Amino acid sequence: MYEDYGYNARLSDRISLDRSIPDYRPRKCRQLTYVSKLPQIAVVFIFVNEALSVILRSVHSVVNHTPPHLLKEIILVDDNSDSVDLGVGMERYLGHRYPGLVKIVRNHKREGLIRARLQGWRVSSAPVIGFFDAHVEFNVGWVQPVLSRISEDRSRIVLPAIDNIKYNTFEVQQYASAAHGYNWGLWCMYILPPHAWLQQDDQAAPIRTPAMIGCSFVVDREYFGEIGLLDPGMEVYGGENIELGMRVWQCGGSMEVLPCSRVAHIERTKKPYNNDIDYYAKRNALRAAEVWMDEFKSHVYMAWNIPINNPGVDFGNVSERVALRKRLNCRSFQWYRDNVYPEMRMYNNTLTYGEVRNSKVSGYCLDQGQEEDDMAILYPCHGMTSQNGPIVNRDSGRCLEVEMVKDANFDLRLSLQRCSGQKWLIRNWFKQGKH
């Protein structure tokens, strides 16, 4: 069943649907109070062929840990599952257990996570909407701090802090307080909170974050529509969480992680959209880069090791998203980088990137050696090449070349020596440099 779901579904079936998980909130959170008049929330779960017990535990958990007057509706969006367990029987159970509270939306074809979430937004009616994977469990007091922050400023997108449900044992593991960042491939990752947050020594304070991991976020429903929802031109998933972070910050809003609101999430070993997910993540990343990243989009092409001109990836028509950016009068990516994500590493004055092949042994590429000595090595290549020329040390005039040596890796060794005419074939160029 690991192969089917990416977690121990048999064990899940034996665990109570109404279990409580450890309260990992900072101590100060338990002493905070909130105004009695807070907006209601709609909770949207997206699923594709999840284990029934995991979906039901997500629903039970949000009902058990959310005051009834604040929980207007639960919306389950089935992105075209083919599991019989998730059909009429599940509908009957939820209708009987929570009459009038749960709506189930069935997609007639597989839309992907991004467009499935848009389906949930369309059928929701509460003033605030939260999007969650259908393999989560909610902690005590999760909703009041979220709704309080959004009621203070409707342009905030709030992310509950994530803890981990171990996929094999279903034990809950506390994660340290973190912001959510990303690399130039637009793959998300946890990063240290901003220096200002660390300096204030308040574990309960909201954490300013450049983007989001993506498994859970809460937003004012109308505001979400005003800023363009999620990009419907993106496919399946990947990159939409980063694009939303860039967009909300550049267009006058903000995004934060809230340590006083905690949701535990199963990190699955297998995901339902596995076919070509790297391709969709690449496609979506290029789409986001073309709309929001200005001249810094080159860093994304570098990260994916593809040429800016004729990249070989059809990321679709972005004219509507470009028009959205103009209509919202959004700031530049340079502003975002300087003010929101200054930790992002920059690559300045880059002439070329990608594979570097030698004309003498064209099947091998320049590569990074072992971390302990950080020496360049030769290693079998992948992909295609384009430009060519020698690699010359400016001070000595000597060339980086390849020697045949029996005791070296692949019988090849790199050497800085008198130039013999060897050339290196370098895959992608921004501008032609002098050889």
Side-chain angles (χ1 to χ4, degrees):
M1 297 187 82
Y2 283 92
E3 293 78 13
D4 293 333
Y5 303 112
Y7 49 72
N8 190 343
R10 285 197 178 92
L11 176 59
S12 174
D13 293 343
R14 300 198 300 269
I15 297 172
S16 170
L17 299 179
D18 296 302
R19 78 165 180 171
S20 290
I21 59 177
D23 185 356
Y24 287 134
R25 292 175 299 167
R27 186 172 300 174
K28 180 181 175 181
C29 298
R30 307 172 199 187
Q31 301 163 358
L32 298 176
T33 58
Y34 303 94
V35 298
S36 57
K37 191 174 182 180
L38 290 170
Q40 288 186 304
I41 188 171
V43 172
V44 177
F45 294 114
I46 312 298
F47 68 91
V48 181
N49 294 326
E50 295 270 6
L52 176 61
S53 62
V54 168
I55 296 175
L56 295 182
R57 191 174 299 109
S58 299
V59 174
H60 278 240
S61 179
V62 74
V63 172
N64 292 345
H65 296 98
T66 309
H69 70 283
L70 296 178
L71 182 59
K72 183 170 186 180
E73 57 196 352
I74 297 170
I75 299 166
L76 293 173
V77 182
D78 173 10
D79 196 16
N80 198 235
S81 298
D82 49 30
S83 171
V84 295
D85 292 342
L86 307 180
V88 175
M90 184 181 75
E91 291 185 19
R92 288 175 178 166
Y93 172 85
L94 291 171
H96 177 74
R97 180 75 185 233
Y98 304 114
L101 182 63
V102 179
K103 301 176 184 177
I104 299 179
V105 178
R106 306 277 189 183
N107 287 341
H108 297 299
K109 66 175 184 176
R110 189 72 49 84
E111 296 286 355
L113 177 66
I114 297 166
R115 288 199 284 268
R117 283 177 167 170
L118 297 182
Q119 288 280 78
W121 178 84
R122 291 186 189 100
V123 302
S124 66
S125 59
V128 175
I129 184 168
F131 295 93
F132 298 88
D133 292 345
H135 41 269
V136 297
E137 295 178 53
F138 295 79
N139 220 314
V140 62
W142 79 277
V143 77
Q144 292 92 331
V146 170
L147 296 178
S148 179
R149 293 293 291 174
I150 291 175
S151 64
E152 290 171 7
D153 183 351
R154 66 189 291 269
S155 68
R156 283 183 182 135
I157 294 182
V158 177
L159 319 177
I162 300 299
D163 292 313
N164 180 40
I165 301 173
K166 295 182 180 180
Y167 70 91
N168 53 349
T169 66
F170 276 71
E171 296 174 274
V172 179
Q173 172 189 13
Q174 182 179 9
Y175 276 173
S177 293
H180 301 177
Y182 55 93
N183 60 24
W184 285 111
L186 304 197
W187 290 107
C188 58
M189 58 188 177
Y190 293 109
I191 60 174
L192 286 174
H195 181 71
W197 186 88
L198 296 170
Q199 287 292 101
Q200 68 183 339
D201 195 28
D202 181 359
Q203 293 291 315
I207 302 171
R208 176 185 174 106
T209 186
M212 64 181 189
I213 293 294
C215 58
S216 64
F217 68 99
V218 185
V219 60
D220 180 280
R221 185 184 184 279
E222 288 188 4
Y223 172 72
F224 195 38
E226 291 166 9
I227 64 166
L229 302 170
L230 298 173
D231 180 357
M234 290 189 171
E235 298 288 347
V236 188
Y237 78 90
E240 83 288 349
N241 48 334
I242 310 304
E243 188 267 358
L244 181 59
M246 293 189 288
R247 173 159 39 102
V248 68
W249 280 111
Q250 288 176 243
C251 302
S254 64
M255 186 174 280
E256 65 186 32
V257 176
L258 211 50
C260 289
S261 174
R262 305 194 77 86
V263 175
H265 170 264
I266 302 174
E267 291 190 4
R268 296 176 291 179
T269 60
K270 178 182 181 296
K271 299 185 179 181
Y273 301 109
N274 262 356
N275 291 339
D276 290 328
I277 194 58
D278 279 357
Y279 170 79
Y280 293 120
K282 179 194 303 181
R283 179 189 182 278
N284 294 345
L286 298 185
R287 189 174 173 88
E290 290 290 337
V291 177
W292 298 103
M293 299 182 73
D294 306 324
E295 68 272 18
F296 293 92
K297 71 182 183 181
S298 62
H299 287 56
V300 179
Y301 285 84
M302 275 196 291
W304 285 100
N305 195 18
I306 54 179
I308 291 180
N309 298 318
N310 302 315
V313 179
D314 180 7
F315 51 77
N317 189 329
V318 296
S319 59
E320 289 187 7
R321 304 307 283 184
V322 172
L324 172 71
R325 177 177 176 177
K326 185 176 181 180
R327 185 171 69 251
L328 295 176
N329 194 28
C330 303
R331 297 182 178 99
S332 68
F333 188 83
Q334 179 73 62
W335 175 89
Y336 167 83
R337 189 261 170 188
D338 291 344
N339 292 277
V340 180
Y341 202 4
E343 303 87 354
M344 194 67 166
R345 180 182 177 184
M346 304 302 296
Y347 297 94
N348 298 319
N349 302 317
T350 300
L351 293 177
T352 183
Y353 60 96
E355 290 179 350
V356 182
R357 297 181 182 231
N358 185 275
S359 58
K360 186 174 182 178
V361 282
S362 60
Y364 291 85
C365 282
L366 198 62
D367 209 333
Q368 181 177 347
Q370 296 181 3
E371 290 186 9
E372 50 264 32
D373 56 26
D374 204 28
M375 289 181 62
I377 62 170
L378 287 166
Y379 200 78
C381 297
H382 318 276
M384 303 298 292
T385 62
S386 56
Q387 305 291 342
N388 67 86
I391 297 179
V392 185
N393 183 286
R394 289 177 177 173
D395 294 330
S396 68
R398 290 174 173 265
C399 287
L400 183 67
E401 297 197 342
V402 176
E403 291 183 308
M404 303 290 189
V405 179
K406 286 188 177 181
D407 59 352
N409 285 339
F410 309 108
D411 296 332
L412 302 169
R413 184 173 66 192
L414 291 168
S415 176
L416 197 63
Q417 61 188 26
R418 181 178 297 175
C419 301
S420 68
Q422 290 183 23
K423 294 182 179 181
W424 292 90
L425 311 176
I426 306 177
R427 183 174 183 181
N428 301 313
W429 289 79
F430 285 124
K431 52 187 176 181
Q432 188 70 49
K434 293 181 179 180
H435 297 322

